[in-house]
Amino acid sequence: MLASLLFPGLALAQGVQVDAMTTEHAQFTPTQSYVAKLEAAEHAKLMTRISGYLMKQHFSDGAWVNEGDVLFEIDPVPYQQALAIAEANLEKAKAALARVELSHKRVKALQDNGGATQSNLDDSTAELTVSLANVAVAEAAANKARDDLSYTKIRAPYDGRLGRSNFSRGDMITPASGPITDIVKIHPITATFSVSHDEYQQQKAKHQGPVSFLLEETGQQGGLKFVDNKINPASGTIKVAAKFDNEDLALFPNQVVRVSLNNASSFDGVWIPQASVQQALTEQFVYVVNDGKAERRAIEVLERQGTNVFVSNGIEAGERVITAGLLRVRPDVPVVVSEE
C-alpha cells in the first residue's frame, strides 16, 4: 500500500485494485406512473319523496347493503289511510260510471225507438263522459297514494356502502330536508388522473390493443374506463380513468393512489449498480474489464430502481462491470478484480 502511494505509476503498471460484477441477462417492461384519485363508480344522495316521521333505520352507518334493501322507513299510517280513501273514491267513481252507462244505454234505446229526443241522448252522453273522467281521476289518485305509500320505505338503489345518517328516528323529514344519507358503489372503483396531450398521443400510438393499468398500492390490475372528450384549457391535460375491481372493498373514494400504465413492449438488457455509472458531459458510461484492462463503454440507462439501473445498450450479459475502485480507473489501465 505504501509503495502504491509513493509510486502511483508502479501501482498502475501492476493493476488498479477494483471490484466487479458479472452481468446477467434481464428483461424490463417500462411503466408510466401517475398520481390518481379514487372515485366511486356511483354515488347517490338518498332523499325522501314524501313528508313524515322517520320511524326505522335498518342499517348502521357505514354498513354494506345490497340493491333493494330497505334502509329507512317513514311512518306509513297517514299514507295507508290516504290510499284507503283513494281506493274507496275509485270504487265510488266506478259505481257511478256503471249507473251512468246503464242509463245511457236506456236513453239510446229510447232515442232509436223515438221515445227520447236527441237532446236527451246528448245529455246522457255528456254525463257518461264526465263519469269516465271521474274514474280516470280516481285511478290516478289511487296510483299516487299507492306510490306515496311505497315511498315510506327508502331502499338501496344498488350494492354499496352507506355513509353517515343525517337524521335520527323520530325526526320529521321532508323532501326539502336534504339527504338522509348517501351511498357509494365501490365495487368496482375508478381511479382518475390527468396526462398531457403529447403524452396521451405517444401512449395511444404505443398501445394499439387493450390498455391495462396496475394499482401500485395493492397490485390490482385494471382496465381503461374512459378518456375525457376535451382538454383542460388551463393545464393542457386530458382526464383519464382506470377501473379496478376492488373486490375486497379495501379502497375508498377520494383516496390518493399511484397508477401505472402497463407497457406492451419489453427491453433486453442488464441490471447494474448505479454507483458504477459515470457521467460525462454528453453521455453516461461504465468501465468493463476486458483482457485485464478497463474499457470505457457508453451506455443507455432506461430505468432506475433503488440503487440499481437497467442498461439497455452498451453492455452484454456475461461482461464484468467495475463497481468499486473507480477513482483511479482510466481507459486501458490494467485492473485487478478483488475476487481474483
Side-chain angles (χ1 to χ4, degrees):
M1 178 64 71
L2 180 60
S4 64
L5 293 175
L6 295 176
F7 306 102
L10 177 61
L12 290 176
Q14 293 176 345
V16 177
Q17 200 78 18
V18 297
D19 293 338
M21 65 165 288
T22 301
T23 59
E24 297 180 356
H25 174 265
Q27 279 194 328
F28 174 70
T29 302
T31 58
Q32 183 64 45
S33 185
Y34 305 94
V35 176
K37 183 179 180 181
L38 295 181
E39 297 178 357
E42 295 187 63
H43 178 207
K45 296 179 179 179
L46 303 182
M47 303 178 67
T48 178
R49 299 186 183 187
I50 58 173
S51 300
Y53 289 100
L54 187 62
M55 300 297 291
K56 295 180 181 179
Q57 179 177 348
H58 292 281
F59 291 89
S60 59
D61 294 350
W64 181 264
V65 296
N66 297 315
E67 181 178 351
D69 284 346
V70 177
L71 309 178
F72 299 91
E73 287 191 52
I74 296 171
D75 183 9
V77 173
Y79 297 97
Q80 291 170 342
Q81 294 170 342
L83 177 59
I85 293 172
E87 288 178 338
N89 287 335
L90 176 59
E91 292 303 316
K92 182 179 178 181
K94 287 181 177 179
L97 174 62
R99 179 183 59 80
V100 170
E101 285 178 334
L102 183 60
S103 175
H104 180 70
K105 288 180 181 179
R106 290 172 180 169
V107 172
K108 192 173 186 308
L110 289 172
Q111 199 268 345
D112 290 341
N113 296 325
T117 65
Q118 182 63 42
S119 177
N120 296 141
L121 181 60
D122 291 342
D123 290 342
S124 177
T125 301
E127 188 177 0
L128 177 61
T129 301
V130 170
S131 295
L132 288 170
N134 287 338
V135 170
V137 170
E139 284 180 340
N143 288 335
K144 182 181 183 305
R146 199 171 292 111
D147 289 342
D148 287 346
L149 180 59
S150 71
Y151 296 153
T152 61
K153 293 183 178 181
I154 299 172
R155 300 177 182 272
Y158 40 73
D159 296 352
R161 177 171 284 149
L162 295 177
R164 180 182 178 184
S165 175
N166 297 316
F167 298 94
S168 300
R169 287 181 297 171
D171 283 346
M172 179 68 181
I173 58 175
T174 71
S177 300
I180 302 174
T181 187
D182 69 327
I183 182 173
V184 291
K185 184 176 183 179
I186 56 175
H187 173 41
I189 200 166
T190 301
T192 60
F193 53 94
S194 297
V195 299
S196 68
H197 179 259
D198 290 342
E199 183 178 354
Y200 170 72
Q201 294 295 345
Q202 292 171 4
Q203 296 295 348
K204 185 178 179 181
K206 291 179 182 178
H207 297 80
Q208 300 300 325
V211 177
S212 63
F213 295 89
L214 173 70
L215 191 61
E216 296 182 7
E217 282 77 1
T218 64
Q220 288 188 48
Q221 295 286 340
L224 179 66
K225 183 177 182 181
F226 77 88
V227 177
D228 206 354
N229 60 356
K230 55 186 173 296
I231 295 175
N232 185 324
S235 62
T237 58
I238 302 175
K239 181 174 286 188
V240 179
K243 182 173 69 174
F244 297 93
D245 188 66
N246 194 29
E247 187 173 0
D248 59 0
L249 309 179
L251 302 172
F252 288 81
N254 297 327
Q255 183 178 346
V256 177
V257 296
R258 294 195 70 87
V259 174
S260 297
L261 173 62
N262 294 330
N263 201 313
S265 302
S266 295
F267 294 86
D268 293 310
V270 296
W271 288 98
I272 62 173
Q274 186 169 353
S276 63
V277 180
Q278 307 293 299
Q279 182 68 52
L281 289 176
T282 59
E283 65 180 10
Q284 291 179 304
F285 65 92
V286 296
Y287 284 107
V288 175
V289 179
N290 188 5
D291 292 332
K293 295 182 179 181
E295 178 183 338
R296 175 169 165 164
R297 295 275 187 86
I299 61 171
E300 181 180 350
V301 175
L302 192 62
E303 175 70 8
R304 289 176 172 82
Q305 290 185 5
T307 59
N308 295 322
V309 296
F310 184 83
V311 178
S312 57
N313 285 306
I315 307 173
E316 298 294 332
E319 292 189 301
R320 291 186 298 171
V321 175
I322 297 176
T323 59
L326 290 162
L327 188 60
R328 301 178 63 193
V329 174
R330 298 292 183 271
D332 297 324
V333 167
V335 293
V336 177
V337 180
S338 295
E339 62 262 30
E340 296 182 347

